Amino acid sequence: MLRINVTGAEQKVQSACRLHSAVLSDETLKTDEWRLSYINKDFSICPSYPPVVIVPRSIDDETLQKVAVYRHGGRFPVLSYYHKKNGMVMMRSSQPLTGTNGRRCKEDEKLVNATLRPGKRGYIIDTRSLNAAQQARAKGGGFEQEVYYPQWRRIHRCIERFNILQESLIKLVEACNDQSHNMDRWLSKLEASNWMTYIKEILTAACLAAQCIDREGASVLVHGTEGTDSTLQVTSLAQIILDPDCRTIQGFESLLVREWLQAGHPFQQRCAQSAYSNSKQKFEAPVFLLFLDCVWQILHQFPCSFEFNEHFLVTLFEHAYASQFGTFLGNNENERSKLKLQQKTMSLWSWVNQPEELKNFQNPLFEANSLVIWPSVAPQSLQLWEGVFLRWNRPSRFLDEAEEEMRRIIDYNRFLLDKVNSMRKQIMQTETEDGMDRMQEVQEEQEEQEVQKVQEVQEMQEVQEVQEMQEVQEMQEVQEMQKVQEVQEVQEVQEVQEVQEMQKVQEVQEVQEVQEVQEVQKVQEVQKVQEVQEVQKVQEVQKVQEVQEVQEMQEVQEMQKVQEIQEVQEMQEVQKVQEMQKVQEIQEVQEIQEVQEIQEVQKVQEMQKVQEMQKVQEIQEVQKVQEVQKVQEMQEVQEIQEVQKVQENP
């Protein structure tokens, strides 16, 4: 067993995931509408639920016990997601046990209706077809009847289960491993697997749930039969669409713990074997792999909205089927607690969240996006996940090189942005320093002007005092000249006032000139700043153009490499075709030679038969001749005997 020290980030994830509510938004429990229930702390109410669940505050534990009896496997409706934007919620559960008699449960109706806001309606998304839901009533299951749930509208979205999904995976793997290089055969096998169809169905149901919550402003209840497979696919994908926290690494880890591990997805049964196994188990199905494939489809459409990359999803897929960690062992929290996996094994997150490993799972294009993302479910928008199904068929060296080059470009871009920001700060600092220097110069000039004014005033006062003394002396000496002196004094005072007024006018003009100079300097400084900004913008545009040109060059090089690879593959295919033709020609020549040899052998055999027949005929003719000779000899002998007898008896 691999032992790894638990990091601080891992402790945060573990502490957040031990409580079913901790990874939900804080606003969920701050309201008076929800509470934590410990009714399942000993796993007696529902073996596949965690010890702690979130339920409406108006529903007590006694009511929950009655509802658990009415739901398949005891999986009563619990809170799955709280939408902070409008306060709508998403619940999940299993099917109600209505049976053929249309059994009802008022406690269940009360629990479901307690999730609705006043004047609001809700949607029940059933992941079975209408026919399958009606057939389930014959086995004791069923669905919510609109008579007892008038505020809820039921929508059926068929998502396949168990052996159908496993057969689809087997067909898909067989198609991906086909080395015949026949396009029609590849497309027909891919279509026959229906794998892309199942992805489209799951994404459509998840988008429907997200649309009901975000755009319709309605709460949603999701369930299928057991509520452990397709239900979890829909609720998890809907949260990824709605909640930007679920698109981060730790947020996605918390989502898996909350909606898959604690929610009771039977990993041990569903991921017991793989598509390469000869034996097929009853409950085996690639449910989690389908979910990861759907996440990859959204990641492929929104490559900048996810903090994690494709490698992170592939790693989760691998550890779900075979892992040295205990995270995906067991079928639910009850089994994991009995097996004491927390004490005996290490968590996968403890390894993933290590800084040296975490960087391998981070998306270099990630930019935090707080908006709701709406993936396209059109067939043209969905693609085969090559990173999993064609990972051994495509060369990874070029992809690794491209990813490394992309990381280098992004790091260089960040370096340039940091450099631009530092230069901007330096410019701001120089501007502030220049402004301070100018302020000091202006203050010094003002102080000098004030000193000059004070000196002028003092001089004027001294002049006035001297004049007054002279006037007093003159008045004492010559009283007769008082009138003349008064006239002179009046004239002098007027002159002094005129001088003072002139000085004031000059001072005002000087101040205005200083202000005009300052304004001109400010305008020049603003023009300089604008010119610097324009130069920076031009430099940034040039750098962006250079980066784009580099990217285009890299794309062209990659396209050339791809074309070269395709040409090599085409040459190989042509060579194979030529070799096949040569082999066919050789086989045809050999077949013709064999036919000729067989015909010659047959002719020889026929000739031999004819010769044997001729020999037999010759032998028969010889025998006939001999018999005729014998007969003639016998006749001659008889004639001789008769002659002798006649001679003896005349």
Side-chain angles (χ1 to χ4, degrees):
M1 186 64 62
L2 182 64
R3 307 294 295 179
I4 301 177
N5 294 328
V6 180
T7 62
E10 164 64 10
Q11 292 176 352
K12 291 181 182 178
V13 172
Q14 288 181 349
S15 61
C17 296
R18 284 197 179 94
L19 284 178
H20 180 62
S21 62
V23 286
L24 293 173
S25 175
D26 294 338
E27 285 80 356
T28 306
L29 296 178
K30 286 181 181 179
T31 63
D32 296 332
E33 301 174 358
W34 304 92
R35 70 179 180 89
L36 290 174
S37 175
Y38 299 87
I39 187 175
N40 198 43
K41 60 183 178 180
D42 55 354
F43 304 102
S44 59
I45 302 299
C46 179
S48 59
Y49 265 178
V52 184
V53 293
I54 298 180
V55 295
R57 186 175 293 276
S58 59
I59 305 299
D60 55 15
D61 289 347
E62 184 178 356
T63 303
L64 294 178
Q65 289 181 350
K66 295 180 180 179
V67 177
V69 176
Y70 181 68
R71 291 281 175 171
H72 186 280
R75 296 177 66 88
F76 54 90
V78 297
L79 181 65
S80 175
Y81 172 68
Y82 180 89
H83 197 42
K84 293 182 289 184
K85 179 180 177 181
N86 53 16
M88 296 298 104
V89 298
M90 180 166 54
M91 309 283 288
R92 51 175 165 77
S93 67
S94 60
Q95 66 174 345
L97 302 178
T98 59
T100 55
N101 298 327
R103 177 183 168 217
R104 64 180 294 190
C105 177
K106 294 183 179 180
E107 290 78 9
D108 185 82
E109 299 167 11
K110 179 181 177 182
L111 171 58
V112 173
N113 291 327
T115 62
L116 294 177
R117 295 286 181 88
K120 294 287 186 178
R121 292 179 59 86
Y123 292 90
I124 299 176
I125 298 179
D126 195 331
T127 60
R128 304 167 296 178
S129 64
L130 180 59
N131 292 332
Q134 291 175 347
Q135 292 174 2
R137 299 177 62 181
K139 300 179 181 179
F143 50 87
E144 294 82 0
Q145 300 182 17
E146 296 180 356
V147 178
Y148 304 133
Y149 302 86
Q151 294 178 282
W152 293 82
R153 178 187 173 189
R154 191 176 70 254
I155 303 175
H156 291 273
R157 285 290 178 268
C158 179
I159 298 178
E160 298 295 345
R161 306 165 61 240
F162 297 157
N163 57 339
I164 296 179
L165 298 180
Q166 188 65 18
E167 289 292 337
S168 175
L169 177 62
I170 293 174
K171 291 180 180 179
L172 178 61
V173 172
E174 181 183 354
C176 294
N177 292 334
D178 189 357
Q179 302 297 329
S180 62
H181 303 290
N182 189 313
M183 180 61 72
D184 294 336
R185 185 175 180 179
W186 155 249
L187 293 177
S188 62
K189 283 191 173 184
L190 180 62
E191 182 181 4
S193 68
N194 289 324
W195 184 264
M196 305 305 296
T197 302
Y198 300 147
I199 291 177
K200 181 180 182 298
E201 293 173 351
I202 296 171
L203 284 174
T204 302
C207 291
L208 174 63
Q211 182 179 1
C212 293
I213 293 173
D214 184 71
R215 295 184 175 177
E216 300 292 333
S219 295
V220 174
L221 171 62
V222 183
H223 73 74
T225 302
E226 295 88 355
T228 58
D229 295 299
S230 57
T231 301
L232 306 183
Q233 291 174 334
V234 174
T235 57
S236 302
L237 291 171
Q239 293 182 51
I240 292 175
I241 294 172
L242 295 172
D243 190 0
D245 292 336
C246 294
R247 301 171 213 149
T248 63
I249 293 179
Q250 289 194 3
F252 191 74
E253 293 172 359
S254 301
L255 176 69
L256 295 183
V257 173
R258 184 177 72 253
E259 292 298 311
W260 290 86
L261 296 172
Q262 292 186 346
H265 177 67
F267 279 97
Q268 185 173 349
Q269 292 180 353
R270 300 292 185 265
C271 304
Q273 300 176 8
S274 66
Y276 294 94
S277 176
N278 294 325
S279 61
K280 299 178 182 179
Q281 296 191 7
K282 182 179 180 181
F283 298 106
E284 186 175 3
V287 178
F288 187 64
L289 175 57
L290 267 171
F291 162 71
L292 294 178
D293 199 334
C294 292
V295 176
W296 179 82
Q297 300 291 339
I298 303 176
L299 170 63
H300 185 71
Q301 296 183 22
F302 298 91
C304 298
S305 298
F306 288 81
E307 186 184 13
F308 52 85
N309 54 18
E310 179 186 13
H311 179 52
F312 183 60
L313 299 177
V314 175
T315 302
L316 293 175
F317 157 68
E318 292 174 344
H319 284 277
Y321 279 88
S323 176
Q324 62 267 47
F325 303 98
T327 301
F328 295 108
L329 295 179
N331 291 317
N332 47 58
E333 287 294 301
N334 186 16
E335 291 186 6
R336 296 186 188 96
S337 63
K338 291 180 180 179
L339 296 173
K340 298 180 180 180
L341 295 179
Q342 189 174 357
Q343 292 80 17
K344 295 181 180 179
T345 63
M346 293 297 296
S347 172
L348 173 63
W349 318 127
S350 63
W351 172 69
V352 170
N353 292 324
Q354 291 184 104
E356 60 272 15
E357 297 294 338
L358 191 63
K359 64 181 181 181
N360 297 325
F361 304 123
Q362 291 176 340
N363 179 13
L365 302 176
F366 173 65
E367 294 181 359
N369 180 13
S370 60
L371 301 177
V372 178
I373 57 177
W374 298 102
S376 173
V377 296
Q380 297 86 348
S381 302
L382 304 179
Q383 298 184 9
L384 181 66
W385 190 4
E386 297 181 2
V388 169
F389 301 109
L390 299 177
R391 60 194 303 189
W392 311 120
N393 295 349
R394 62 177 186 175
S396 60
R397 181 171 62 87
F398 301 109
L399 297 175
D400 295 339
E401 291 178 355
E403 184 175 0
E404 185 66 26
E405 185 65 20
M406 180 179 65
R407 289 181 180 274
R408 190 188 64 79
I409 293 173
I410 292 172
D411 292 339
Y412 183 67
N413 188 26
R414 290 175 179 172
F415 168 74
L416 293 177
L417 291 176
D418 294 338
K419 193 172 182 180
V420 169
N421 292 330
S422 64
M423 293 176 67
R424 287 177 178 173
K425 290 180 180 179
Q426 291 177 0
I427 292 172
M428 292 295 293
Q429 289 177 357
T430 54
E431 289 178 353
T432 54
E433 290 176 357
D434 294 340
M436 292 296 293
D437 294 339
R438 294 190 188 95
M439 289 293 293
Q440 289 179 358
E441 292 177 356
V442 171
Q443 288 178 357
E444 291 176 355
E445 291 178 357
Q446 291 177 353
E447 289 176 356
E448 291 178 356
Q449 291 176 359
E450 290 177 357
V451 170
Q452 290 177 358
K453 289 180 181 178
V454 171
Q455 291 177 355
E456 291 175 354
V457 171
Q458 289 177 355
E459 291 177 355
M460 290 297 295
Q461 289 176 354
E462 292 176 355
V463 170
Q464 289 176 358
E465 290 176 357
V466 170
Q467 290 176 354
E468 289 176 357
M469 290 296 293
Q470 291 176 356
E471 289 174 357
V472 171
Q473 291 175 359
E474 289 176 355
M475 287 179 67
Q476 290 176 356
E477 292 175 353
V478 183
Q479 292 180 354
E480 294 179 355
M481 296 297 294
Q482 287 181 352
K483 292 181 180 180
V484 177
Q485 289 178 355
E486 289 177 358
V487 173
Q488 291 178 352
E489 288 176 358
V490 170
Q491 292 177 352
E492 291 175 356
V493 170
Q494 289 178 352
E495 291 177 357
V496 169
Q497 289 178 352
E498 290 177 358
V499 170
Q500 290 178 351
E501 289 177 357
M502 289 296 293
Q503 289 178 351
K504 289 181 180 179
V505 171
Q506 290 178 356
E507 291 175 356
V508 171
Q509 290 178 353
E510 290 176 356
V511 171
Q512 290 178 351
E513 289 177 356
V514 170
Q515 290 178 351
E516 290 177 356
V517 170
Q518 291 177 351
E519 290 178 356
V520 170
Q521 290 176 350
K522 288 182 180 179
V523 170
Q524 291 177 352
E525 291 175 357
V526 171
Q527 291 178 351
K528 289 181 180 179
V529 171
Q530 290 178 351
E531 290 176 356
V532 171
Q533 290 178 351
E534 290 177 357
V535 170
Q536 290 177 351
K537 288 181 180 179
V538 170
Q539 291 177 352
E540 291 178 356
V541 169
Q542 290 177 353
K543 291 177 181 178
V544 171
Q545 290 177 352
E546 291 176 357
V547 171
Q548 291 178 352
E549 290 177 357
V550 171
Q551 291 178 351
E552 291 176 357
M553 288 295 294
Q554 292 176 350
E555 291 177 356
V556 170
Q557 292 177 356
E558 291 178 356
M559 289 296 296
Q560 291 177 353
K561 292 180 181 178
V562 171
Q563 290 178 356
E564 291 176 357
I565 293 172
Q566 291 178 351
E567 291 177 356
V568 170
Q569 292 179 350
E570 291 177 356
M571 289 295 295
Q572 292 178 352
E573 291 178 357
V574 170
Q575 291 178 355
K576 289 183 179 179
V577 170
Q578 292 177 353
E579 291 177 356
M580 291 294 295
Q581 291 177 352
K582 290 181 179 179
V583 170
Q584 290 179 355
E585 292 176 356
I586 292 171
Q587 290 178 352
E588 291 176 356
V589 171
Q590 290 178 351
E591 290 177 356
I592 293 172
Q593 291 177 353
E594 290 177 356
V595 170
Q596 291 177 352
E597 290 178 355
I598 291 170
Q599 290 178 353
E600 291 177 355
V601 170
Q602 290 178 352
K603 288 180 180 180
V604 170
Q605 290 178 352
E606 289 177 357
M607 290 293 293
Q608 291 177 352
K609 287 181 181 179
V610 169
Q611 291 177 357
E612 290 178 355
M613 288 295 293
Q614 290 177 354
K615 289 180 180 180
V616 170
Q617 289 177 358
E618 290 177 356
I619 292 170
Q620 289 178 353
E621 290 177 356
V622 169
Q623 289 177 353
K624 287 180 180 179
V625 170
Q626 289 177 353
E627 289 177 356
V628 169
Q629 290 177 353
K630 287 181 180 180
V631 170
Q632 291 176 354
E633 289 177 356
M634 289 294 293
Q635 290 177 355
E636 290 177 355
V637 169
Q638 288 178 358
E639 290 177 355
I640 292 170
Q641 289 177 354
E642 288 177 358
V643 170
Q644 288 177 356
K645 286 180 180 181
V646 170
Q647 290 176 357
E648 290 177 358
N649 297 313

